[in-house]
């Protein structure tokens, strides 16, 4: 019999919730109407998109009209940056952090190529922002401050409310990349004070290719995609009705399960305690900062994270060595470099990211396999060094 798969790579993507799949099936079969069509099939699809928008808005704590559906996190980030850049030509300064996802960092490069100035804020050894440094970076010509809610590699949470009050007091727009936070920690956009907030469905058990961008009421940006008048003229293109129905159902589930994230955290903490107590030379990155409940980014001194990943993979355990987008490049994670993690640890980093589907048996399997894998890799390394 095949070993059952242990999936601990939920920050890369999550399994589709069964309930979301069930909700989607009719829209993949008989209810195939275009949400823009006037006939009965069109009306059914249009109604389903209205419901999905309400479900997602309830998870975000915003009005349904403030939500544009997108294909995921990257599109929302592109829309936010390009939209603000075009809408405020007199303001050519942007602020972000060194530990953002590559989608944000790439938008920073795009802004520079187009004549803007971008201030990139550093973090301390625990991945925390220095709010005084952030405040000092703000200028009269600052168009946008963009800060992630939760880091995809370490799970470290940024203090969004404090950032919002500094930024909004100066009349500057505030964008949050909420991709790794939504569904893991409560989000209340009515209270937060962010003007733009993007997220991605596949990080919380919705189908891939779904997501959204919150645009605070009154903020007018040019449409990201020009086409038909979909999304009230803000994003052209026929709606992905089955995907949006799945997104709505997953948002409902996420809201129901939010009070239960303590169970995920208990498993994560158990794993972390095991790693720190049973595997010498282990560091948990960002452990001194507030974090999402599902993520442990461990560094194992003297081994390569990639080698650990491959050996765990042979044992049917799926983990990651950092953000999936940079896997395959044997390069130290930009997040750990920004945190000044010691060089002896930085390449030995392995991310374990859990979900509400993670079981005690999953964690027990890692506990059973990992010490021997690390011992073996360290012995091999020592032998190779002696040669
Ligand atoms: N932002 C963060 C923090 C992420 O973790 C990711 C994906 O890993 C993205 C943005 C991009 O999201 P998507 O894959 O939906 O384009």
């Amino acid at each position: 019999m095949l070993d059952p798969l242990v999936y601990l790579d939920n920050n890369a993507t999550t399994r589709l919730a069964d309930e979301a799949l069930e909700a989607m099936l009719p829209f993949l079969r008989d209810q195939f109407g275009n949400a823009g069509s006037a006939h009965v099939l069109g009306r059914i699809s249009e109604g389903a998109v209205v419901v999905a928008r309400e479900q997602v808005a309830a998870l975000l704590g915003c009005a349904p009209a403030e939500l544009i559906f997108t294909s995921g996190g990257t599109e929302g980030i592109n829309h936010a940056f390009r939209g603000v850049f075009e809408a405020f030509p007199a303001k050519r300064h942007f602020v972000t952090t060194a530990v953002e996802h590559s989608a944000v960092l790439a938008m920073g490069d795009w802004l520079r190529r187009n004549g803007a100035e971008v201030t990139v804020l550093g973090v301390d050894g625990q991945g925390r922002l220095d709010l005084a440094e952030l405040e000092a970076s703000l200028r009269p010509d600052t168009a946008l401050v963009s800060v992630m809610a939760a880091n995809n590699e370490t799970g470290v949470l940024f203090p969004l409310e404090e950032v919002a009050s500094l930024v909004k007091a100066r009349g500057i727009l505030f964008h949050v990349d909420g991709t790794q936070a939504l569904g893991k920690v409560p989000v209340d956009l009515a209270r937060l004070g962010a003007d733009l907030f993007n997220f991605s469905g596949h990080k919380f058990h919705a189908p891939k290719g779904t997501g959204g961008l919150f645009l605070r009421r009154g903020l007018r940006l040019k449409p990201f995609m020009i086409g038909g008048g979909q999304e009230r003229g803000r994003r052209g293109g026929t709606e992905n009705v089955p995907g949006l129905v799945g997104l709505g159902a997953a948002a409902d589930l996420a809201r129901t399960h939010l009070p239960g994230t303590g169970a995920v955290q208990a498993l994560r903490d158990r794993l972390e305690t095991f790693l720190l107590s049973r595997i010498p030379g282990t560091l948990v990155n960002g452990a001194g900062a507030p974090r999402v409940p599902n993520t442990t980014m461990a560094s194992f001194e003297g081994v390569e994270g990639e080698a650990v990943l491959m050996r765990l993979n042979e044992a049917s355990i799926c983990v990651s060595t950092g953000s999936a987008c940079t896997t395959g490049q044997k390069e130290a994670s930009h997040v750990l470099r920004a945190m000044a993690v010691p060089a002896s640890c930085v390449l030995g980093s392995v991310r374990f990211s859990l979900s509400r589907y993670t079981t005690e048996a999953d964690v027990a399997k890692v506990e059973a396999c990992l010490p021997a894998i690390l011992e073996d890799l360290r012995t091999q390394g020592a032998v190779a060094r002696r040669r």
Side-chain angles (χ1 to χ4, degrees):
M1 208 173 77
L2 278 178
D3 239 3
L5 204 68
V6 172
Y7 186 75
L8 298 179
D9 198 15
N10 288 281
N11 285 9
T13 197
T14 58
R15 59 166 285 180
L16 182 63
D18 289 342
E19 297 89 334
L21 174 63
E22 288 302 322
M24 291 168 72
L25 285 175
F27 293 90
L28 290 163
R29 288 197 187 110
D30 307 328
Q31 312 296 354
F32 56 84
N34 185 319
S37 297
H39 51 66
V40 59
L41 278 186
R43 297 283 65 78
I44 291 169
S45 288
E46 186 193 24
V49 174
V50 168
V51 172
R53 202 182 302 280
E54 286 167 357
Q55 289 169 313
V56 178
L59 180 64
L60 292 165
C62 70
E66 292 175 305
L67 177 59
I68 302 175
F69 285 131
T70 66
S71 61
T74 303
E75 183 187 322
I77 290 165
N78 272 256
H79 191 160
F81 276 81
R82 287 172 192 258
V84 171
F85 181 81
E86 281 196 0
F88 302 95
K91 294 192 168 189
R92 281 294 171 256
H93 178 234
F94 291 72
V95 178
T96 188
T97 84
V99 295
E100 298 296 314
H101 186 267
S102 52
V104 168
L105 297 178
M107 282 315 302
D109 292 341
W110 179 87
L111 288 169
R112 284 191 200 93
R113 285 197 303 279
N114 283 278
E117 201 186 319
V118 182
T119 300
V120 179
L121 304 170
V123 293
D124 69 8
Q126 297 299 323
R128 290 174 297 215
L129 269 184
D130 179 344
L131 290 175
E133 189 190 343
L134 183 137
E135 188 173 14
S137 75
L138 304 177
R139 310 190 322 209
D141 67 335
T142 306
L144 183 75
V145 171
S146 175
V147 158
M148 68 201 320
N151 187 273
N152 43 305
E153 298 193 19
T154 59
V156 169
L157 290 159
F158 277 157
L160 298 181
E161 292 188 11
E162 282 96 321
V163 176
S165 67
L166 291 175
V167 171
K168 297 316 298 168
R170 288 160 181 80
I172 297 166
L173 290 174
F174 180 32
H175 165 247
V176 175
D177 174 9
T179 309
Q180 291 291 347
L182 195 65
K184 294 177 185 150
V185 291
V187 169
D188 184 358
L189 292 177
R191 256 197 43 217
L192 179 63
D195 301 289
L196 307 106
F197 181 105
N198 68 271
F199 62 92
S200 181
H202 73 97
K203 306 292 186 184
F204 61 93
H205 308 290
K208 292 168 183 60
T210 64
L213 175 67
F214 158 82
L215 274 187
R216 182 169 296 290
R217 194 190 310 273
L219 178 59
R220 298 235 167 278
L221 302 183
K222 283 204 183 135
F224 181 61
M225 289 209 277
I226 301 165
Q230 292 91 349
E231 295 296 305
R232 295 169 62 225
R234 297 172 301 179
R235 190 221 193 224
T238 298
E239 293 87 346
N240 169 12
V241 179
L244 297 180
V245 168
L247 179 69
D252 261 356
L253 284 167
R255 211 152 54 91
T256 315
H257 285 282
L258 264 176
T261 50
V264 178
Q265 178 159 352
L267 283 178
R268 191 276 308 266
D269 291 351
R270 165 181 157 175
L271 176 64
E272 234 167 56
T273 306
F274 177 87
L275 299 179
L276 289 167
S277 62
R278 300 291 297 279
I279 301 181
T282 299
L283 180 80
V284 173
N285 297 292
R291 285 179 296 157
V292 286
N294 79 317
T295 308
T296 290
M297 172 62 122
S299 286
F300 303 111
E301 209 177 346
V303 297
E304 281 191 1
E306 206 64 26
V308 179
L309 180 150
M310 297 318 292
R311 294 288 290 271
L312 286 173
N313 186 47
E314 283 164 19
S316 300
I317 299 171
C318 302
V319 296
S320 163
T321 53
S323 76
C325 313
T326 54
T327 300
Q329 298 166 19
K330 225 185 199 171
E331 208 180 84
S333 131
H334 70 283
V335 176
L336 298 186
R337 270 189 281 128
M339 291 165 69
V341 173
S344 57
C345 285
V346 98
L347 285 175
S349 63
V350 178
R351 181 183 69 185
F352 303 87
S353 50
L354 288 62
S355 80
R356 62 174 183 266
Y357 296 102
T358 305
T359 63
E360 286 197 21
D362 292 338
V363 174
K365 183 162 174 192
V366 176
E367 291 169 350
C369 295
L370 195 55
I373 291 176
L374 280 162
E375 218 178 289
D376 197 29
L377 289 173
R378 281 174 172 159
T379 310
Q380 279 177 17
V383 170
R385 275 194 300 279
R386 274 202 299 276
R387 278 201 191 116

